[in-house]
């Protein structure tokens, strides 16, 4: 699972062997559960509307 680290740089995770950098996304087997990790936000794709159909006049 890809998680974004939001904590400070002084934190060390011995079970992961990792000193994460704030604002960096890591691929981890599970969320460490300490509240400092958030799911990676994928950029939202812009929705495009279909062009409006022109209706002919009834004249």
């Amino acid at each position: 699972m890809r998680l974004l680290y939001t904590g400070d740089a002084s934190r060390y995770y011995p079970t992961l062997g990792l000193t994460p950098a704030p604002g960096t996304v890591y691929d981890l087997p599970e969320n460490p559960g300490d509240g400092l990790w958030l799911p990676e936000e994928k950029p939202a794709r812009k929705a495009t509307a279909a062009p409006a159909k022109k209706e002919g006049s009834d004249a």
Side-chain angles (χ1 to χ4, degrees):
M1 97 179 9
R2 293 183 54 82
L3 298 169
L4 172 68
Y5 180 66
T6 62
D8 59 33
S10 65
R11 182 71 191 249
Y12 176 68
Y13 291 85
T15 57
L16 300 172
L18 181 66
T19 303
T24 304
V25 174
Y26 295 89
D27 193 11
L28 301 178
E30 63 183 28
N31 188 330
D34 58 4
L36 300 176
W37 298 85
L38 299 174
E40 175 186 27
E41 290 186 21
K42 301 201 183 225
R45 292 173 32 163
K46 287 187 177 180
T48 55
K53 290 184 180 180
K54 287 188 175 182
E55 293 187 26
S57 66
D58 292 272

